[in-house]
Amino acid sequence: MPSPSAEEMKHSQLDLNLLRVFDVLMEERSVSRAAARLDLTQSSTSNALDRLRRALGDRVLEREGNGMVPTRSAVELWPHVQSALRQIDMGLEALVRFDPSRLRQTLSIGIDEYSLTLIGGGLMAALKEKAPHAKLSFLSAMPLNDAEQLFAGALDLIVGPVWQSFPGLERAVLLHETFVGLADADHPLLQSAKDNSGVSVEDYVRFPHLLVSQRGFVPGNVDAGLHKIGCRREVAATIPSYASAPAFLSGSELILNLGHRLAGKVAAPAGLKTFALPLDVPGFDIAMLWHPRNTTSKSHHWLREVIREVCSRL
């Protein structure tokens, strides 16, 4: 790659404040009037003009009679400077006055399937109402595996189950999920519990279980709870996605342990029914993580608040 020329280096190091002085000088064609508008002394404005001349290698404005006349180079440069200053002002104004209806960027959210099923539709509806020009990009991610993408700036947020702290990242808990059982509405387990005595541990472990895991069978909170009381379950099938779980449960004797919000969402449409687990099983938090550099961003703060609002309705 060729090295920048001395002229390019000089322009790249130009004080941006000089561009504001240049813009006002071009409008006023007078150092004294420009100084008054900029709230500077006439001496400071003259010094700024001298620095502009050296930086641009051009006289910029020449005295003629009682006023000043711009050079051809200055006339050609002026509209570009005005455009650049407008862009800077718009960007600075956006930091102070954020209007989501004008947001046109793509918001990248890393999220696991469970959390996406819970909040994805609600978040999409909220953006359609509040920020109709924004786009959402949901990317498969888990806090434990993909937090590095927040440091790299590849993701705006990660939403998912969190069991640990992540040094260097901000964290906010959105939901606390507790486990329930899910089975076919005509499952023998549920028929035997119709006397309101609830499902017994003996019946619970007597029937085969379905496990959702992308890593195959991995002992979890349920298995730990059963181990404490000297029991174990039989996991008859492991599947990688929650989306296919209702098809496995419908008309079968399989049992699935699931967070109560998602279980309630999928039960009725699939002819399934939830039930209280016959043992104590710790729940889990669904949280969002983000890099501290985005904490004070108006658009990022707004996105976090929208996600909180969506979760508060679940």
Side-chain angles (χ1 to χ4, degrees):
M1 180 181 294
S3 300
S5 66
E7 194 69 21
E8 289 171 332
M9 286 287 288
K10 184 167 65 176
H11 291 169
S12 69
Q13 296 168 6
L14 179 66
D15 184 348
L16 292 180
N17 290 319
L18 293 180
L19 296 182
R20 293 205 182 273
V21 174
F22 171 76
D23 184 43
V24 176
L25 280 169
M26 290 295 288
E27 287 187 3
E28 297 294 343
R29 311 292 168 93
S30 162
V31 170
S32 59
R33 290 197 300 270
R37 274 186 57 184
L38 292 164
D39 198 23
L40 297 172
T41 64
Q42 188 166 331
S43 173
S44 295
T45 307
S46 293
N47 288 337
L49 177 57
D50 288 339
R51 289 169 60 199
L52 266 170
R53 285 167 170 165
R54 291 195 298 272
L56 299 177
D58 184 81
R59 292 294 298 167
V60 185
L61 288 146
E62 294 278 16
R63 182 164 298 282
E64 187 173 299
N66 293 326
M68 302 189 82
V69 178
T71 64
R72 169 51 58 186
S73 295
V75 171
E76 292 174 353
L77 176 63
W78 191 23
H80 299 292
V81 170
Q82 288 180 308
S83 176
L85 291 175
R86 276 196 301 271
Q87 290 296 318
I88 292 170
D89 288 339
M90 286 171 61
L92 293 173
E93 183 180 353
L95 290 176
V96 179
R97 301 180 185 177
F98 174 69
D99 180 0
S101 67
R102 300 175 64 181
L103 186 66
R104 293 184 178 273
Q105 70 189 79
T106 297
L107 306 168
S108 298
I109 300 176
I111 193 166
D112 67 299
E113 183 198 9
Y114 189 99
S115 305
L116 180 61
T117 306
L118 275 185
I119 74 170
L123 185 54
M124 196 73 208
L127 254 70
K128 183 179 180 182
E129 176 189 350
K130 302 172 188 290
H133 304 296
K135 298 183 186 302
L136 277 174
S137 177
F138 291 111
L139 302 169
S140 179
M142 288 285 287
L144 184 61
N145 303 326
D146 302 288
E148 190 59 38
Q149 295 193 55
L150 294 173
F151 289 97
L155 293 172
D156 295 309
L157 282 169
I158 290 182
V159 176
V162 172
W163 290 277
Q164 65 185 68
S165 62
F166 291 86
L169 294 176
E170 300 288 347
R171 165 183 167 173
V173 174
L174 299 168
L175 299 167
H176 180 73
E177 277 283 68
T178 54
F179 284 103
V180 296
L182 186 65
D184 186 86
D186 295 323
H187 196 291
L189 178 72
L190 301 177
Q191 302 305 311
S192 64
K194 280 188 174 179
D195 61 355
N196 294 323
S197 62
V199 172
S200 68
V201 174
E202 291 75 20
D203 283 341
Y204 176 73
V205 298
R206 182 163 60 90
F207 291 99
H209 285 237
L210 178 68
L211 177 67
V212 179
S213 170
Q214 294 185 341
R215 297 180 294 161
F217 175 69
V218 179
N221 289 352
V222 171
D223 301 285
L226 288 170
H227 180 73
K228 284 182 181 179
I229 57 177
C231 296
R232 62 183 298 274
R233 62 174 174 163
E234 177 200 350
V235 175
T238 305
I239 58 176
S241 170
Y242 291 101
S244 57
F248 279 81
L249 297 174
S250 181
S252 79
E253 293 191 346
L254 288 167
I255 296 170
L256 175 66
N257 303 296
L258 197 59
H260 74 279
R261 287 183 178 85
L262 185 55
K265 195 179 183 77
V266 303
L272 308 176
K273 191 173 179 180
T274 64
F275 62 90
L277 297 181
L279 70 158
D280 290 329
V281 178
F284 60 96
D285 290 333
I286 292 178
M288 58 180 168
L289 303 174
W290 68 93
H291 195 280
R293 65 172 170 265
N294 292 321
T295 297
T296 58
S297 163
K298 297 293 184 183
S299 60
H300 202 279
H301 179 266
W302 171 82
L303 175 61
R304 300 195 304 269
E305 289 304 306
V306 171
I307 292 174
R308 283 191 178 99
E309 181 185 337
V310 169
C311 290
S312 71
R313 297 196 295 263
L314 295 176

